[in-house]
Amino acid sequence: VPEELKGVLMPYQETGFAWLKYLASFRFGGLLADDMGLGKTLQAIAYILSEKTGSNETKSPILVVCPSSLVHNWQREVEKFAPVLRVQVIGGAPATRKKLMLNTEADIWITSYPLMRMDHRQYEKMEFHTVFFDEAQAFKNPFTQTSRAVKKLRSQRIFAMTGTPIENTLEELWS
């Protein structure tokens, strides 16, 4: 656990963080699924902090894609728990978003599913260190534009986070 978060994470969150690191060590992705409100965001922030500081530092940004309503929550949580990380929210008009994507100094890019879907051609040209899909049930239907767009992202590791991994069918989990 990064020094900045020792004593902050609950034991089950430390286990979730360790699981993310374990999967990442094999260049695997995974699904972090637990009840809503148990701190999946904080576990992801711990992972990001561990990857972006010290000897593990990487130049490629980490991308967080989440519902529009959570973009600024993610920004606040990162600023609160990992203020050393540089955050870039990718939002606004299309020309503004395109310009924001040129920020190579940011450690974390945060955008929403609708904006990522609209900008998917630009994102497809990029390589990310890690991608986090928060509230990943947003693309549970594999035939939607959002599902097709997220599957074209290039990253060394991809993690999906959800409080509701399966609502109706197993196909949702597969997607």
Side-chain angles (χ1 to χ4, degrees), residues 80-139:
K80 176 180 178 181
F81 291 107
V84 66
L85 297 176
R86 298 161 298 195
V87 178
Q88 178 67 66
V89 172
I90 309 292
T96 302
R97 294 193 308 271
K98 193 171 186 176
K99 184 177 177 183
L100 291 171
M101 287 183 202
L102 298 174
N103 182 358
T104 58
E105 298 299 315
D107 297 310
I108 307 170
W109 289 5
I110 304 170
T111 195
S112 67
Y113 285 107
L115 293 180
M116 187 278 313
R117 187 178 61 238
M118 285 188 268
D119 299 334
H120 71 91
R121 284 193 173 84
Q122 289 146 304
Y123 284 109
E124 289 171 18
K125 298 173 190 173
M126 301 171 189
E127 176 81 27
F128 295 97
H129 176 278
T130 303
V131 174
F132 279 96
F133 294 119
D134 193 9
E135 301 296 339
Q137 70 275 8
F139 58 93

Side-chain angles (χ1 to χ4, degrees), residues 56-73:
N56 293 329
E57 188 173 349
T58 175
K59 299 297 180 206
S60 300
I62 291 176
L63 177 65
V64 174
V65 186
C66 60
S68 302
S69 61
L70 295 180
V71 168
H72 294 290
N73 180 66

Side-chain angles (χ1 to χ4, degrees), residues 25-40:
S25 72
F26 294 104
R27 291 186 171 240
F28 292 162
L31 175 64
L32 184 58
D34 62 18
D35 289 334
M36 292 173 49
L38 292 182
K40 292 180 291 291

